[in-house]
């Protein structure tokens, strides 16, 4: 069973990145998937969630209007499209799974994969 976030990198302010959360050994469709990030010296922050089954989405204020979460069941992948990136978006980004979460609150998530680093230069 593996969960892996990828797609991070270095981008200039105003640019875009698409992060992927890939799973092997289990099916993401049956779980709620959350995206989180942790900047140096800061606590982990919830960004977005896509619910199991219905695929409803939720965004925190940090993500609203610039980030879009989506799911591709055929690829067993959840994406986080990030636009108009700002230097303060620099962080390690993580995806995580939950069978009960309806909000991206870290304590509600059970399984975390290694993160991917996003660096936004000014």
């Amino acid at each position: 069973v593996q969960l892996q976030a990828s797609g991070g990198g270095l981008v200039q302010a105003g640019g875009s990145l698409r992060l992927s959360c890939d799973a092997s050994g289990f099916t993401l469709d049956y779980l709620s998937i959350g995206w989180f990030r942790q900047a140096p010296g800061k606590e982990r922050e919830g960004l977005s969630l896509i619910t199991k089954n219905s695929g409803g989405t939720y965004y925190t204020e940090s993500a609203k209007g610039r980030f879009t979460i989506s799911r591709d069941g055929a690829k067993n992948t959840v994406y986080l499209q990030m636009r108009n990136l700002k230097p303060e978006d620099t962080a390690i980004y993580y995806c995580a799974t939950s069978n009960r979460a309806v909000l991206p609150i870290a304590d509600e998530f059970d399984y975390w994969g290694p993160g991917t680093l996003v660096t936004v230069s000014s």
Side-chain angles (χ1 to χ4, degrees):
V1 174
Q2 277 194 318
L3 191 69
Q4 178 68 58
S6 63
L10 175 64
V11 63
Q12 288 189 332
S16 300
L17 282 174
R18 188 178 75 164
L19 305 183
S20 298
C21 178
D22 296 296
S24 59
F26 61 99
T27 302
L28 291 181
D29 278 357
Y30 303 136
L31 298 166
S32 293
I33 310 301
W35 280 100
F36 300 81
R37 67 185 180 189
Q38 188 164 20
K42 295 189 177 181
E43 293 188 355
R44 189 166 296 188
E45 174 187 19
L47 295 171
S48 184
L49 169 143
I50 187 164
T51 61
K52 62 184 180 182
N53 301 329
S54 68
T57 59
Y58 179 88
Y59 300 92
T60 63
E61 285 302 314
S62 294
K64 202 173 293 184
R66 296 188 299 127
F67 295 178
T68 304
I69 192 170
S70 62
R71 186 196 298 271
D72 185 333
K75 295 184 177 180
N76 205 26
T77 299
V78 171
Y79 300 102
L80 185 69
Q81 177 70 51
M82 306 188 295
R83 298 178 176 86
N84 190 23
L85 285 162
K86 305 173 183 179
E88 51 263 42
D89 294 318
T90 295
I92 299 175
Y93 285 69
Y94 301 87
C95 60
T97 67
S98 173
N99 60 11
R100 64 191 181 280
V102 294
L103 295 173
I105 298 172
D107 288 347
E108 295 292 309
F109 286 76
D110 308 301
Y111 191 75
W112 296 74
T116 186
L117 176 63
V118 172
T119 304
V120 184
S121 62
S122 56

